[in-house]
Amino acid sequence: MFLGTTKRTVDEKGRLLLPKPFRGELAPSCVITKGQDGHLVIYSQDGWNQRAVEVREGYSRETASGRRFRRLMFFGAANQQSMDSQGRLMVASELREHAGIQCGGEVVVVGVDQEIEVWSAPAFQRHLKAAEYASADREER
């Protein structure tokens, strides 16, 4: 299980140093793909296998939207990676572009149960603000 939030910097080569508590579950390999909210998602190999079953069952190849999601957001965007000896993952340029992550830029790494989310720091701040406004709006009603 992945828990907690931390800030990191993606180095000039596009590598992300993962928090130590996350590394054990991601060895020997993991999968990085696009998240639906403009972030990236990292799965352990077992977590990926479980999520792949859910996607196969929930996003039919028989519909245009199902094919599009499977192709553009999940399977087609996925990148299998192994950590280097220092606990870093290479984040492909296409994935960094999707999430607005710059080499040398700050990211927020969030453990969310069976997956890890990686956000550009500005996008994460916007996401937090939007959640605060939505929460305040619900309280007023």
Side-chain angles (χ1 to χ4, degrees):
M1 180 178 295
F2 301 107
L3 302 170
T5 301
T6 189
K7 290 185 179 180
R8 291 283 192 255
T9 301
V10 173
D11 72 15
E12 293 300 326
K13 294 182 180 180
R15 298 174 299 190
L16 170 63
L17 178 65
L18 291 169
K20 283 185 181 182
F22 293 176
R23 296 179 196 172
E25 287 190 55
L26 300 178
S29 68
C30 62
V31 178
I32 307 172
T33 195
K34 295 176 181 178
Q36 293 176 309
D37 295 321
H39 62 288
L40 302 179
V41 182
I42 303 173
Y43 295 95
S44 67
Q45 194 63 57
D46 286 342
W48 171 259
N49 294 340
Q50 291 171 2
R51 182 69 176 121
V53 168
E54 293 170 5
V55 168
R56 283 186 204 106
E57 292 173 353
Y59 294 89
S60 172
R61 290 184 290 195
E62 304 304 317
T63 67
S65 62
R67 289 190 304 274
R68 193 170 34 254
F69 178 82
R70 291 163 64 107
R71 179 184 311 118
L72 301 176
M73 290 296 293
F74 196 72
F75 295 109
N79 188 281
Q80 189 159 26
Q81 288 288 317
S82 296
M83 282 181 289
D84 67 13
S85 61
Q86 295 178 356
R88 297 176 299 196
L89 288 176
M90 177 61 72
V91 182
S93 60
E94 298 83 13
L95 292 173
R96 291 194 314 268
E97 184 177 322
H98 166 78
I101 295 170
Q102 303 293 319
C103 288
E106 190 174 61
V107 297
V108 178
V109 179
V110 184
V112 185
D113 192 23
Q114 298 299 311
E115 58 195 47
I116 300 166
E117 295 181 351
V118 181
W119 296 77
S120 73
F124 190 72
Q125 288 305 312
R126 288 190 303 272
H127 185 69
L128 285 178
K129 289 290 183 195
E132 289 172 9
Y133 290 131
S135 179
D137 187 46
R138 277 194 307 273
E139 289 176 12
E140 287 180 15
R141 289 186 214 158

